[in-house]
Amino acid sequence: APDSLAIEIDSSIGKICIACVYRSPNLNSSLNSVLLSCLRDVCNVSNPFDTVLIGDFNLPDISWETGSLKNCNIATNNKSFLQQLEFIDTFNQLGLNWGLVNEVTRHRVVQGVLQESLLDQVLYTNDALVSSVKVLSNLGKSDHVSLKIELGISLIKPSNQNEAVVLKPCWSKVSPNDILSYSLKNVDWTYSSDDISSEMMWNELQGKFDEFSSVLPMSRFDSRNKPLNLPWSNSKLKRMRRNKDAAWTSFVECPTKEPGRNGHS
């Protein structure tokens, strides 16, 4: 993407993509679309890594409290507003979290008048990644502040890295419909006889589940039988919850009957 750079690093919680982005306010529609496409790629829920986006996005008309445009009654021929709407819609659809809400990241004086705006932002796919975002003083003569971002990761491998990892089938990664469909086609649920004891019936039933579970996706557990990746609170679920909250906030802020006008349909 134009004026952007992304790297992938190994951390204590797996691979992480860190991208530094600059979106020029004068970016044409074509390059604007390229940048949006790249952001969707690095923040896709199917990626085997989480992502942190850092940079100057030049979105002065975005309310980061609501995740929407400050003025939703915009003129449809206003190129700047429409481009900003595209970006905040994309952030909401991807379920991204952001670290700054009411802070000022640029101070400049224009014709004797002080202008303050929030142009820089920190966005991330997993809220466990970013521990804090602090606004510091300007660097050199820049009219932008500095941001100190503390990540909740370590580049040093944990001391128990040699601990045995046990792979077990993960039922939560398969939908109930897929489970039902596969079991009806591939598993014989009848018992070997109607006269067997309850203990034998249980053993046969357990064997059928073992046969079925052999084709399930696997999850990693440590030697204490604790999941290394908690199945009930993963990045995808957090993004979905954030996306739902953003959709509701956007509707409350600016109700409309037109599908997708708030970035949600």
Side-chain angles (χ1 to χ4, degrees), residues 75-77 83 86 126 133 176 201 203-204 223 262:
T76 55
N77 61 348
Q83 286 188 344
E86 278 190 279
N126 185 344
V133 179
M201 291 177 67
N203 289 336
E204 288 190 13
S223 58
N262 295 322

Side-chain angles (χ1 to χ4, degrees), residues 150 179 184 192 220:
E150 294 182 1
I179 293 176
L184 291 176
S192 58
R220 300 184 304 157

Side-chain angles (χ1 to χ4, degrees), residues 141-175:
K141 295 184 179 181
S142 173
D143 57 2
H144 287 252
V145 300
S146 302
L147 298 178
K148 180 181 179 182
I149 304 158
E150 294 182 1
L151 301 181
I153 63 171
S154 172
L155 298 181
I156 302 174
K157 294 184 178 179
S159 58
N160 62 343
Q161 60 176 316
N162 295 322
E163 186 176 10
V165 175
V166 180
L167 295 179
K168 293 185 178 182
C170 183
W171 293 83
S172 64
K173 292 185 177 180
V174 183
S175 70

